[in-house]
Amino acid sequence: MIRFDRVSKRYPPGIDALSDVNVEVKSGEFLIVGGHSGAGKSTLLKLIAAIERPTGGAVLVNGQNIGALPRGAVPYLRRNIGLVFQDQKLLFDRSVFDNVMLPLAIAGFAPKEAARRVRAALDKVGLLDREKAMPIALSGGQQQRLAIARAVVGRPGLLLADEPSAHLDPDTAHDVAAIFREFHQVGVTVIVATYDDHLFPGARGVRLDHGRLSA
Ligand code: ADP
């Protein structure tokens, strides 16, 4: 489903974030991407979602060469990808419900069906009873669960998460990890970049070291 074929990414003015990376992720797989800070983990995820483009090699998602995707085709690609990234901020002036509704409103869903899906997503992450709350009233772990609900409300086949357990205490980090496992169990392909690979026992792991895949 996802294939990196000799992928490199050089950021200006000459930072090699990824060098000659080959990796394949099958549909329905759970992959952990480990490695030190600055190893290239976020960049790897961003290339899959066409947030960044490779400067060498090819990234294929369902047979499509993401690096060559016309700009206009990117929203269509993203419709099947849920993103839990640090820079995908919650809207702090909107309720929990509205934060999860936003992607569906943008996609043009009928309000009734959208509301049903929003509540299903909030239920999955255990936040159904907080739908009227403002994000500021939530704990760090609850905010992270809200970000996950927003990422999955469009029922993507692929979920990409960048350090989803960062800044969480160990118990909360385990709860968040369990949510990713549940999505994997229902067939979603999940790729998580994390230092906390012990949170995902049994998942296949690869490791980046200064932009190179080491295992
Ligand atoms: P990780 O997620 O493992 O911490 P990143 O993919 O964020 O690693 O970064 C890999 C390398 O690329 C680092 O040296 C980082 O400073 C650099 N980098 C990341 N994004 C950019 C950018 N937009 N412009 C320039 N350099 C970047």
Side-chain angles (χ1 to χ4, degrees), residues 7-31:
V7 172
S8 299
K9 173 65 183 179
R10 173 172 285 187
Y11 291 109
I15 299 155
D16 289 317
L18 293 176
S19 305
D20 208 20
V21 169
N22 293 302
V23 67
E24 214 174 287
V25 188
K26 294 198 175 65
S27 194
E29 214 174 354
F30 196 135
L31 183 76

Side-chain angles (χ1 to χ4, degrees), residues 1-158:
M1 180 203 192
I2 299 170
R3 191 153 69 89
F4 278 55
D5 191 6
R6 307 205 63 182
V7 172
S8 299
K9 173 65 183 179
R10 173 172 285 187
Y11 291 109
I15 299 155
D16 289 317
L18 293 176
S19 305
D20 208 20
V21 169
N22 293 302
V23 67
E24 214 174 287
V25 188
K26 294 198 175 65
S27 194
E29 214 174 354
F30 196 135
L31 183 76
I32 301 300
V33 183
H36 59 88
S37 175
K41 304 182 295 296
S42 303
T43 299
L44 187 140
L45 297 183
K46 286 176 179 169
L47 292 177
I48 297 170
I51 296 167
E52 294 288 352
R53 306 271 174 149
T55 44
V59 177
L60 300 166
V61 178
N62 293 330
Q64 262 188 324
N65 184 347
I66 299 306
L69 212 58
R71 232 165 242 294
V74 172
Y76 188 75
L77 167 83
R78 296 244 181 96
R79 222 172 281 173
N80 192 41
I81 304 180
L83 298 175
V84 183
F85 279 23
Q86 317 287 324
D87 51 6
Q88 306 268 315
K89 301 275 185 244
L90 298 171
L91 302 173
F92 280 89
D93 59 344
R94 306 279 186 91
S95 68
V96 164
F97 183 94
D98 286 350
N99 266 273
V100 183
M101 176 63 107
L102 191 68
L104 298 185
I106 291 169
F109 271 80
K112 242 186 163 165
E113 169 63 10
R116 205 177 59 75
R117 285 191 179 212
V118 168
R119 295 203 169 96
L122 287 174
D123 192 28
K124 274 206 191 89
V125 302
L127 284 178
L128 195 51
D129 59 340
R130 303 306 309 272
E131 69 168 60
K132 292 195 176 68
M134 298 303 273
I136 198 75
L138 304 181
S139 68
Q142 288 172 328
Q143 288 183 10
Q144 190 59 290
R145 286 192 269 142
L146 174 56
I148 297 170
R150 184 183 56 182
V152 300
V153 72
R155 299 183 186 162
L158 173 62

Side-chain angles (χ1 to χ4, degrees), residues 162-181:
D162 191 8
E163 301 289 357
S165 55
H167 319 301
L168 300 180
D169 64 68
D171 283 351
T172 313
H174 271 104
D175 292 347
V176 166
I179 293 171
F180 286 103
R181 278 199 298 274

